[in-house]
Amino acid sequence: MALTNRERVGRAVEHLGPALDAFITRVLAGELQGDGSWVDVARIADNAGVGKEYSATDPQLSLRFIANNLPAKARRGWYPFTDYLNRTQQSYVAELIQTRNDFAHNKPFENEDAQRALDTAERLLRAVGAPDAAEAVRKEKVELAKVANDRFDRAAARTSSHVLVASDALPAWREVITPHRDVIEGKFHAAEFAADLYTVYLGTAEGEYGDPAQFFARTFLTAGLRKLLSDSARRLSGDRNAPPVVNLQTNFGGGKTHSMLALWHLASGTPVTAYPDEVQSIVATAVAEAGRDTLPRSIQRVALVGNQLQAAQADPKRDGTVVNTLWGELAHQLGGAEAYALVADADRSGTNPGAALRELLALYSPAIILIDEWVAYARQLVTAKSLPGGSFDTQFTFAQTLTEAANATPGVQLVVSLPTSERSGDATNAEEVGGEYGAEALNRLKNIVGRTADQWRPASSEESFEIVRRRLFEPADATTLSAIGAIAKTTVDYYRKYNGDFPSDTTDPDYADRIRRSYPIHPELFDRLYSDWSTLDRFQRTRGVLRLMNAIVGRL
């Protein structure tokens, strides 16, 4: 049986007690003596008698403790929370006191009231460093919204006269949802496919790919990307428990480049407030876990793209530095000629920089190091000639040194993009690996990187619905979402009525949700593109689907 709004609010209130107890205890830790606790401060402020019971996990007490400035009543001028909660976050506390009181007095919660209460509770929980509790409340909020939307969809379907399936009155998708302007004007291809990590590094990427705020505004955050951003923000903020090395290994077109661009923009120095709320929330929670208020203002960024680097030719820089190897390029990107000097001898001789690499990373942390197409670079080194880039074997000694140095240096994260094995059966992937020498390079890099790397999760086919829709179409407002929900429900009702004419899964309870999330593209078409077409040579899954659907939507 579905939970009531009141039960959902009650669960959120229950999460507040332990989370606020831990927060207040942490804030007052340096002020209390002996075995004293913040509850003792509350007793003093209230002039409470010995017989009055107080509980540290009672949300009514902890909310009042913060909102009513009880520490100042116990000791004049003492208000320890100003360094931990800004004014907006303090307003959450005051609002939740009323929510808790309404719950305690058995008042009903309408959908809007319940959603507001859950949202405020989630925000406060993230602010006080309780991400697990905040995520639990967020799930309650999402589920409540889904239930409310389903109710609205049923009502809309009953009253709508223009969503009858198989009738001329079924609205055209163009009347319901609008494509982005670049799709309508036929400019999508240039903006979407001209950009890659190297062009973004050079600063020549067009459109949203070169603008951090636009990039995140048009990016759907999959579960894998949410975790990647959170882990990176934690690591760059000094959290030693965050993964120092990440392996973005998946098939060709699996989203590796987009994920690397997200990390590049995250470390760009752009104010987090310029990003969508979801990104702000991820970053705020991550840096709080690392014991900081914000991301470091200055983060060094390195982008090494193997197929853009020549192992057989030295690379003269504008400052007069001549770079030969991958480690020389890494040092120069970190800090120019001064940083290069630390590995200059190893770069000129093509030998592993050894301990100098740790010194380099320690001096220039925090830093994000992105390495793409490493296999393409390494296979260039298989030759009898002596190359400026060093030898094939030295490349992997360097790889091991780099992963170990990143692991040992706080504030440094190394993210490596590797293709899957040539034996995966994907002809395009085999091309990306690059034959016998490429396969050998991939195998050795996998073994080295895999020792310490956190494995990245690519987008699922279900998440791909939203990735494609967000890139091709304008955001849906409440009216549009209502219309889409009514269409989805009516369509599934039609499938159920004539179930013998349609696949069995179209009558499943969750099929209306699939239609809603993929609209105006039918989920069956998505399934065919992601499961059948993805086996075709050079069809890059999400990017391939975007190419195709852009052409179709633009033409229609």
Side-chain angles (χ1 to χ4, degrees):
M1 184 176 178
L3 293 175
T4 65
N5 291 349
R6 180 179 154 70
E7 288 171 329
R8 294 187 193 280
V9 172
R11 289 186 174 187
V13 171
E14 289 177 2
H15 282 296
L16 289 171
L20 292 176
D21 173 34
F23 170 68
I24 297 172
T25 299
R26 185 169 68 250
V27 171
L28 269 60
E31 300 285 346
L32 301 177
Q33 298 179 354
D35 296 330
S37 75
W38 68 269
V39 175
D40 297 323
V41 177
R43 285 182 176 278
I44 294 172
D46 289 345
N47 292 317
V50 178
K52 186 173 181 179
E53 292 187 4
Y54 281 71
S55 171
T57 57
D58 177 6
Q60 190 272 344
L61 177 62
S62 52
L63 288 168
R64 185 170 63 86
F65 190 85
I66 299 172
N68 294 352
N69 195 8
L70 293 193
K73 294 180 180 180
R75 191 176 75 199
R76 180 174 298 179
W78 182 28
Y79 188 63
F81 301 107
T82 53
D83 292 334
Y84 296 87
L85 298 175
N86 59 37
R87 290 186 178 181
T88 300
Q89 292 164 341
Q90 291 172 36
S91 72
Y92 300 156
V93 178
E95 183 177 331
L96 287 169
I97 287 178
Q98 185 61 50
T99 298
R100 181 264 168 199
N101 290 342
D102 288 346
F103 176 78
H105 291 93
N106 295 316
K107 290 188 177 181
F109 288 87
E110 299 294 335
N111 286 335
E112 292 80 3
D113 297 332
Q115 289 178 6
R116 171 71 180 254
L118 294 175
D119 182 70
T120 303
E122 179 196 353
R123 291 171 184 269
L124 179 61
L125 287 166
R126 293 195 188 281
V128 301
D132 292 341
E135 180 62 18
V137 173
R138 186 191 72 83
K139 289 179 179 178
E140 294 285 355
K141 182 178 68 174
V142 170
E143 184 61 27
L144 173 59
K146 183 176 183 299
V147 171
N149 287 337
D150 287 344
R151 290 172 182 166
F152 191 88
D153 292 346
R154 286 194 293 270
R158 285 194 298 269
T159 59
S160 178
S161 60
H162 65 280
V163 293
L164 299 177
V165 176
S167 77
D168 292 337
L170 183 69
W173 64 267
R174 293 183 297 274
E175 299 173 9
V176 179
I177 194 167
T178 305
H180 284 301
R181 180 170 294 279
D182 58 354
V183 176
I184 296 174
E185 296 178 351
K187 297 179 181 178
F188 173 86
H189 186 278
E192 178 67 26
F193 303 113
D196 55 27
L197 180 60
Y198 188 66
T199 59
V200 172
Y201 158 69
L202 292 177
T204 58
E206 298 180 5
E208 74 218 44
Y209 278 83
D211 184 292
Q214 288 188 45
F215 175 86
F216 282 116
R218 298 279 282 268
T219 295
F220 173 68
L221 301 184
T222 64
L225 186 52
R226 289 173 63 92
K227 183 179 185 300
L228 188 65
L229 290 171
S230 175
D231 288 346
S232 186
R234 287 170 52 213
R235 182 69 186 178
L236 294 173
S237 297
D239 187 346
R240 284 182 172 272
N241 293 319
V245 183
V246 179
N247 179 15
L248 304 182
Q249 186 167 27
T250 187
N251 290 325
F252 193 49
K256 295 176 293 186
T257 299
H258 202 89
S259 296
M260 284 194 159
L261 294 180
L263 296 180
W264 181 265
H265 288 314
L266 179 69
S268 66
T270 301
V272 177
T273 52
Y275 299 148
D277 289 343
E278 189 176 14
V279 177
Q280 291 186 45
S281 177
I282 291 170
V283 174
T285 301
V287 299
E289 290 179 23
R292 291 179 58 96
D293 294 328
T294 61
L295 276 173
R297 291 185 178 182
S298 179
I299 301 172
Q300 303 303 315
R301 299 183 294 175
V302 174
L304 303 176
V305 183
N307 56 11
Q308 300 294 331
L309 300 172
Q310 299 184 48
Q313 183 176 328
D315 181 14
K317 303 296 184 181
R318 291 182 179 180
D319 61 6
T321 304
V322 178
V323 172
N324 299 282
T325 64
L326 206 60
W327 43 97
E329 178 67 23
L330 186 155
H332 194 270
Q333 287 192 30
L334 276 177
E338 184 177 344
Y340 173 80
L342 295 173
V343 299
D345 291 341
D347 180 71
R348 296 188 187 105
S349 62
T351 56
N352 180 48
L357 198 57
R358 292 199 183 199
E359 182 182 357
L360 175 72
L361 297 187
L363 285 173
Y364 291 93
S365 68
I368 182 80
I369 301 169
L370 309 176
I371 305 183
D372 196 11
E373 304 288 355
W374 202 346
V375 169
Y377 181 84
R379 66 177 181 242
Q380 299 177 53
L381 300 171
V382 182
T383 176
K385 299 179 182 180
S386 177
L387 300 179
S391 70
F392 189 67
D393 286 337
T394 301
Q395 189 68 199
F396 306 109
T397 305
F398 163 66
Q400 182 171 343
T401 303
L402 179 59
T403 56
E404 292 173 351
N407 188 49
T409 310
V412 172
Q413 187 176 56
L414 170 66
V415 181
V416 180
S417 169
L418 296 176
T420 54
S421 172
E422 186 177 26
R423 291 186 290 273
S424 66
D426 187 330
T428 302
N429 217 59
E431 180 180 333
E432 189 180 15
V433 171
E436 178 183 352
Y437 298 139
E440 173 64 16
L442 173 60
N443 185 55
R444 294 176 71 169
L445 285 172
K446 280 173 57 179
N447 289 337
I448 293 168
V449 173
R451 293 172 190 169
T452 57
D454 187 73
Q455 297 300 311
W456 166 73
R457 173 187 167 187
S460 68
S461 59
E462 294 297 309
E463 290 173 324
S464 300
F465 288 172
E466 186 62 30
I467 293 173
V468 172
R469 189 166 82 169
R470 184 171 297 199
R471 185 58 191 85
L472 293 178
F473 299 96
E474 295 286 352
D477 58 18
T479 301
T480 301
L481 290 173
S482 172
I484 292 172
I487 291 169
K489 183 183 183 302
T490 305
T491 302
V492 170
D493 286 345
Y494 184 84
Y495 291 156
R496 290 171 179 167
K497 183 177 180 180
Y498 301 101
N499 59 79
D501 298 327
F502 297 101
S504 59
D505 62 339
T506 61
T507 61
D508 290 345
D510 63 346
Y511 202 75
D513 188 52
R514 297 191 76 211
I515 293 176
R516 184 186 297 111
R517 286 185 287 114
S518 66
Y519 187 87
I521 303 169
H522 197 284
E524 183 66 19
L525 177 57
F526 266 120
D527 289 344
R528 297 286 68 76
L529 291 175
Y530 276 93
S531 61
D532 297 345
W533 284 44
S534 63
T535 63
L536 299 176
D537 291 355
R538 303 201 65 78
F539 189 81
Q540 295 179 269
R541 292 174 176 80
T542 298
R543 187 172 291 188
V545 173
L546 280 170
R547 284 179 184 268
L548 176 64
M549 296 313 303
N550 164 63
I552 294 173
V553 172
R555 180 66 61 88
L556 294 176

PDB file of all heavy atoms in Angstrom, residues 265-286:
ATOM      1  N   HIS A 265      35.239  20.807 -16.697  1.00  0.00           N
ATOM      2  CA  HIS A 265      34.469  22.011 -16.373  1.00  0.00           C
ATOM      3  C   HIS A 265      34.273  22.166 -14.870  1.00  0.00           C
ATOM      4  O   HIS A 265      34.235  23.297 -14.358  1.00  0.00           O
ATOM      5  CB  HIS A 265      33.121  21.973 -17.089  1.00  0.00           C
ATOM      6  CG  HIS A 265      33.219  22.188 -18.565  1.00  0.00           C
ATOM      7  ND1 HIS A 265      33.987  23.189 -19.122  1.00  0.00           N
ATOM      8  CD2 HIS A 265      32.648  21.528 -19.615  1.00  0.00           C
ATOM      9  CE1 HIS A 265      33.891  23.150 -20.442  1.00  0.00           C
ATOM     10  NE2 HIS A 265      33.082  22.153 -20.761  1.00  0.00           N
ATOM     11  N   LEU A 266      34.130  21.059 -14.145  1.00  0.00           N
ATOM     12  CA  LEU A 266      33.980  21.141 -12.697  1.00  0.00           C
ATOM     13  C   LEU A 266      35.172  21.847 -12.064  1.00  0.00           C
ATOM     14  O   LEU A 266      35.022  22.607 -11.105  1.00  0.00           O
ATOM     15  CB  LEU A 266      33.832  19.731 -12.103  1.00  0.00           C
ATOM     16  CG  LEU A 266      33.686  19.644 -10.581  1.00  0.00           C
ATOM     17  CD1 LEU A 266      32.339  20.212 -10.138  1.00  0.00           C
ATOM     18  CD2 LEU A 266      33.842  18.203 -10.108  1.00  0.00           C
ATOM     19  N   ALA A 267      36.360  21.610 -12.620  1.00  0.00           N
ATOM     20  CA  ALA A 267      37.592  22.183 -12.072  1.00  0.00           C
ATOM     21  C   ALA A 267      37.977  23.505 -12.739  1.00  0.00           C
ATOM     22  O   ALA A 267      39.097  23.974 -12.573  1.00  0.00           O
ATOM     23  CB  ALA A 267      38.733  21.177 -12.231  1.00  0.00           C
ATOM     24  N   SER A 268      37.047  24.101 -13.471  1.00  0.00           N
ATOM     25  CA  SER A 268      37.366  25.298 -14.266  1.00  0.00           C
ATOM     26  C   SER A 268      37.478  26.578 -13.449  1.00  0.00           C
ATOM     27  O   SER A 268      37.948  27.595 -13.951  1.00  0.00           O
ATOM     28  CB  SER A 268      36.292  25.498 -15.347  1.00  0.00           C
ATOM     29  OG  SER A 268      35.034  25.805 -14.748  1.00  0.00           O
ATOM     30  N   GLY A 269      37.022  26.570 -12.213  1.00  0.00           N
ATOM     31  CA  GLY A 269      37.003  27.789 -11.414  1.00  0.00           C
ATOM     32  C   GLY A 269      35.715  28.573 -11.565  1.00  0.00           C
ATOM     33  O   GLY A 269      35.537  29.609 -10.923  1.00  0.00           O
ATOM     34  N   THR A 270      34.808  28.084 -12.411  1.00  0.00           N
ATOM     35  CA  THR A 270      33.496  28.716 -12.550  1.00  0.00           C
ATOM     36  C   THR A 270      32.747  28.607 -11.228  1.00  0.00           C
ATOM     37  O   THR A 270      32.729  27.535 -10.616  1.00  0.00           O
ATOM     38  CB  THR A 270      32.676  28.024 -13.656  1.00  0.00           C
ATOM     39  OG1 THR A 270      33.396  28.101 -14.888  1.00  0.00           O
ATOM     40  CG2 THR A 270      31.317  28.679 -13.827  1.00  0.00           C
ATOM     41  N   PRO A 271      32.142  29.690 -10.740  1.00  0.00           N
ATOM     42  CA  PRO A 271      31.389  29.598  -9.478  1.00  0.00           C
ATOM     43  C   PRO A 271      30.334  28.502  -9.554  1.00  0.00           C
ATOM     44  O   PRO A 271      29.608  28.403 -10.552  1.00  0.00           O
ATOM     45  CB  PRO A 271      30.749  30.982  -9.353  1.00  0.00           C
ATOM     46  CG  PRO A 271      31.632  31.886 -10.145  1.00  0.00           C
ATOM     47  CD  PRO A 271      32.128  31.063 -11.296  1.00  0.00           C
ATOM     48  N   VAL A 272      30.260  27.687  -8.534  1.00  0.00           N
ATOM     49  CA  VAL A 272      29.308  26.580  -8.532  1.00  0.00           C
ATOM     50  C   VAL A 272      27.874  27.097  -8.649  1.00  0.00           C
ATOM     51  O   VAL A 272      26.990  26.417  -9.175  1.00  0.00           O
ATOM     52  CB  VAL A 272      29.489  25.722  -7.259  1.00  0.00           C
ATOM     53  CG1 VAL A 272      28.457  24.602  -7.204  1.00  0.00           C
ATOM     54  CG2 VAL A 272      30.883  25.134  -7.220  1.00  0.00           C
ATOM     55  N   THR A 273      27.638  28.318  -8.191  1.00  0.00           N
ATOM     56  CA  THR A 273      26.295  28.894  -8.261  1.00  0.00           C
ATOM     57  C   THR A 273      25.828  29.115  -9.693  1.00  0.00           C
ATOM     58  O   THR A 273      24.634  29.347  -9.923  1.00  0.00           O
ATOM     59  CB  THR A 273      26.256  30.239  -7.510  1.00  0.00           C
ATOM     60  OG1 THR A 273      27.318  31.085  -7.999  1.00  0.00           O
ATOM     61  CG2 THR A 273      26.437  30.027  -6.019  1.00  0.00           C
ATOM     62  N   ALA A 274      26.747  29.042 -10.671  1.00  0.00           N
ATOM     63  CA  ALA A 274      26.370  29.187 -12.082  1.00  0.00           C
ATOM     64  C   ALA A 274      25.786  27.900 -12.646  1.00  0.00           C
ATOM     65  O   ALA A 274      25.234  27.902 -13.749  1.00  0.00           O
ATOM     66  CB  ALA A 274      27.584  29.606 -12.919  1.00  0.00           C
ATOM     67  N   TYR A 275      25.902  26.811 -11.890  1.00  0.00           N
ATOM     68  CA  TYR A 275      25.455  25.511 -12.373  1.00  0.00           C
ATOM     69  C   TYR A 275      24.022  25.220 -11.922  1.00  0.00           C
ATOM     70  O   TYR A 275      23.518  25.839 -10.978  1.00  0.00           O
ATOM     71  CB  TYR A 275      26.384  24.399 -11.860  1.00  0.00           C
ATOM     72  CG  TYR A 275      27.819  24.541 -12.310  1.00  0.00           C
ATOM     73  CD1 TYR A 275      28.867  24.099 -11.502  1.00  0.00           C
ATOM     74  CD2 TYR A 275      28.132  25.111 -13.535  1.00  0.00           C
ATOM     75  CE1 TYR A 275      30.196  24.220 -11.902  1.00  0.00           C
ATOM     76  CE2 TYR A 275      29.453  25.233 -13.946  1.00  0.00           C
ATOM     77  CZ  TYR A 275      30.475  24.795 -13.123  1.00  0.00           C
ATOM     78  OH  TYR A 275      31.773  24.917 -13.525  1.00  0.00           O
ATOM     79  N   PRO A 276      23.367  24.248 -12.544  1.00  0.00           N
ATOM     80  CA  PRO A 276      22.018  23.858 -12.108  1.00  0.00           C
ATOM     81  C   PRO A 276      22.023  23.397 -10.651  1.00  0.00           C
ATOM     82  O   PRO A 276      23.053  22.973 -10.113  1.00  0.00           O
ATOM     83  CB  PRO A 276      21.669  22.703 -13.061  1.00  0.00           C
ATOM     84  CG  PRO A 276      22.511  22.927 -14.265  1.00  0.00           C
ATOM     85  CD  PRO A 276      23.791  23.516 -13.751  1.00  0.00           C
ATOM     86  N   ASP A 277      20.856  23.463 -10.018  1.00  0.00           N
ATOM     87  CA  ASP A 277      20.731  23.114  -8.603  1.00  0.00           C
ATOM     88  C   ASP A 277      21.263  21.716  -8.304  1.00  0.00           C
ATOM     89  O   ASP A 277      21.876  21.486  -7.255  1.00  0.00           O
ATOM     90  CB  ASP A 277      19.264  23.208  -8.160  1.00  0.00           C
ATOM     91  CG  ASP A 277      18.771  24.640  -8.087  1.00  0.00           C
ATOM     92  OD1 ASP A 277      19.619  25.555  -8.058  1.00  0.00           O
ATOM     93  OD2 ASP A 277      17.548  24.849  -8.085  1.00  0.00           O
ATOM     94  N   GLU A 278      21.006  20.776  -9.220  1.00  0.00           N
ATOM     95  CA  GLU A 278      21.434  19.396  -8.971  1.00  0.00           C
ATOM     96  C   GLU A 278      22.950  19.302  -8.861  1.00  0.00           C
ATOM     97  O   GLU A 278      23.484  18.591  -8.000  1.00  0.00           O
ATOM     98  CB  GLU A 278      20.922  18.489 -10.093  1.00  0.00           C
ATOM     99  CG  GLU A 278      21.122  17.008  -9.809  1.00  0.00           C
ATOM    100  CD  GLU A 278      20.512  16.134 -10.883  1.00  0.00           C
ATOM    101  OE1 GLU A 278      20.179  16.655 -11.972  1.00  0.00           O
ATOM    102  OE2 GLU A 278      20.365  14.929 -10.646  1.00  0.00           O
ATOM    103  N   VAL A 279      23.671  20.012  -9.722  1.00  0.00           N
ATOM    104  CA  VAL A 279      25.135  20.010  -9.663  1.00  0.00           C
ATOM    105  C   VAL A 279      25.599  20.717  -8.397  1.00  0.00           C
ATOM    106  O   VAL A 279      26.521  20.253  -7.711  1.00  0.00           O
ATOM    107  CB  VAL A 279      25.722  20.685 -10.917  1.00  0.00           C
ATOM    108  CG1 VAL A 279      27.254  20.738 -10.823  1.00  0.00           C
ATOM    109  CG2 VAL A 279      25.310  19.948 -12.179  1.00  0.00           C
ATOM    110  N   GLN A 280      24.965  21.839  -8.062  1.00  0.00           N
ATOM    111  CA  GLN A 280      25.319  22.550  -6.838  1.00  0.00           C
ATOM    112  C   GLN A 280      25.168  21.652  -5.618  1.00  0.00           C
ATOM    113  O   GLN A 280      26.016  21.655  -4.714  1.00  0.00           O
ATOM    114  CB  GLN A 280      24.432  23.785  -6.675  1.00  0.00           C
ATOM    115  CG  GLN A 280      24.674  24.896  -7.685  1.00  0.00           C
ATOM    116  CD  GLN A 280      23.859  26.136  -7.368  1.00  0.00           C
ATOM    117  OE1 GLN A 280      23.794  26.572  -6.222  1.00  0.00           O
ATOM    118  NE2 GLN A 280      23.227  26.711  -8.378  1.00  0.00           N
ATOM    119  N   SER A 281      24.088  20.880  -5.587  1.00  0.00           N
ATOM    120  CA  SER A 281      23.831  19.999  -4.451  1.00  0.00           C
ATOM    121  C   SER A 281      24.893  18.918  -4.338  1.00  0.00           C
ATOM    122  O   SER A 281      25.381  18.613  -3.236  1.00  0.00           O
ATOM    123  CB  SER A 281      22.448  19.360  -4.591  1.00  0.00           C
ATOM    124  OG  SER A 281      22.200  18.458  -3.541  1.00  0.00           O
ATOM    125  N   ILE A 282      25.269  18.325  -5.472  1.00  0.00           N
ATOM    126  CA  ILE A 282      26.297  17.285  -5.468  1.00  0.00           C
ATOM    127  C   ILE A 282      27.610  17.833  -4.942  1.00  0.00           C
ATOM    128  O   ILE A 282      28.277  17.223  -4.094  1.00  0.00           O
ATOM    129  CB  ILE A 282      26.480  16.709  -6.885  1.00  0.00           C
ATOM    130  CG1 ILE A 282      25.248  15.907  -7.302  1.00  0.00           C
ATOM    131  CG2 ILE A 282      27.727  15.827  -6.964  1.00  0.00           C
ATOM    132  CD1 ILE A 282      25.247  15.497  -8.762  1.00  0.00           C
ATOM    133  N   VAL A 283      28.004  18.999  -5.445  1.00  0.00           N
ATOM    134  CA  VAL A 283      29.276  19.600  -5.037  1.00  0.00           C
ATOM    135  C   VAL A 283      29.240  20.003  -3.565  1.00  0.00           C
ATOM    136  O   VAL A 283      30.197  19.755  -2.819  1.00  0.00           O
ATOM    137  CB  VAL A 283      29.606  20.810  -5.925  1.00  0.00           C
ATOM    138  CG1 VAL A 283      30.854  21.528  -5.410  1.00  0.00           C
ATOM    139  CG2 VAL A 283      29.819  20.368  -7.369  1.00  0.00           C
ATOM    140  N   ALA A 284      28.134  20.607  -3.127  1.00  0.00           N
ATOM    141  CA  ALA A 284      28.029  21.049  -1.736  1.00  0.00           C
ATOM    142  C   ALA A 284      28.158  19.871  -0.772  1.00  0.00           C
ATOM    143  O   ALA A 284      28.855  19.946   0.246  1.00  0.00           O
ATOM    144  CB  ALA A 284      26.708  21.777  -1.517  1.00  0.00           C
ATOM    145  N   THR A 285      27.481  18.789  -1.094  1.00  0.00           N
ATOM    146  CA  THR A 285      27.557  17.604  -0.236  1.00  0.00           C
ATOM    147  C   THR A 285      28.955  17.018  -0.228  1.00  0.00           C
ATOM    148  O   THR A 285      29.483  16.633   0.822  1.00  0.00           O
ATOM    149  CB  THR A 285      26.556  16.542  -0.721  1.00  0.00           C
ATOM    150  OG1 THR A 285      25.237  17.081  -0.682  1.00  0.00           O
ATOM    151  CG2 THR A 285      26.609  15.304   0.157  1.00  0.00           C
ATOM    152  N   ALA A 286      29.579  16.967  -1.414  1.00  0.00           N
ATOM    153  CA  ALA A 286      30.910  16.372  -1.532  1.00  0.00           C
ATOM    154  C   ALA A 286      31.954  17.170  -0.744  1.00  0.00           C
ATOM    155  O   ALA A 286      32.758  16.595   0.000  1.00  0.00           O
ATOM    156  CB  ALA A 286      31.306  16.274  -3.002  1.00  0.00           C
TER     157      ALA A 286
END
